[in-house]
Amino acid sequence: MPAALRRTYTLREFALICGFLSESGEVNWPARLDDESRLEILMDLAGMQRGRFPVGPGLVIDDPYRGAPEDYDRALAEIQGAVGQIVAAVEGKSAEI
């Protein structure tokens, strides 16, 4: 397995893994740990969760290029939701996509 594969995800896949790690209690942040360190730890832990979520269209945000305005709105909402879940995990909060 190429080394990069353990650290390469779709945005939604990483968000789901971060949400799982946060909700399961597998991460418990010390108060003085900075956000960058927390994200690095999440990335390391995420590599151990590869395959936990079934691969499929739900893990991919459709490209709205040349689509209707609604397609762009949907893609933006999906991106915001995924990033929100990752940020919540880094901050030690819970969020849903």
Side-chain angles (χ1 to χ4, degrees):
M1 170 185 322
L5 185 58
R6 286 179 287 145
R7 297 177 73 91
T8 305
Y9 309 91
T10 67
L11 181 62
R12 292 191 85 192
E13 181 181 19
F14 187 63
L16 286 170
I17 292 171
C18 286
F20 168 79
L21 290 170
S22 183
E23 294 295 323
S24 70
E26 290 198 37
V27 291
N28 192 2
W29 303 125
R32 293 182 181 223
L33 194 62
D34 62 67
D35 289 346
E36 183 178 350
S37 297
R38 291 177 181 193
L39 184 58
E40 287 179 11
I41 291 168
L42 280 172
M43 289 187 299
D44 289 339
L45 292 172
M48 293 182 259
Q49 302 301 320
R50 181 163 294 287
R52 177 173 291 275
F53 300 98
V55 175
L59 294 181
V60 176
I61 297 172
D62 290 331
D63 185 352
Y65 181 66
R66 293 189 177 179
E70 299 83 31
D71 297 332
Y72 286 87
D73 293 341
R74 185 179 60 254
L76 176 61
E78 291 177 8
I79 292 167
Q80 288 173 327
V83 170
Q85 192 164 17
I86 295 166
V87 169
V90 168
E91 293 176 344
K93 302 173 184 173
S94 63
E96 300 211 8
I97 287 185

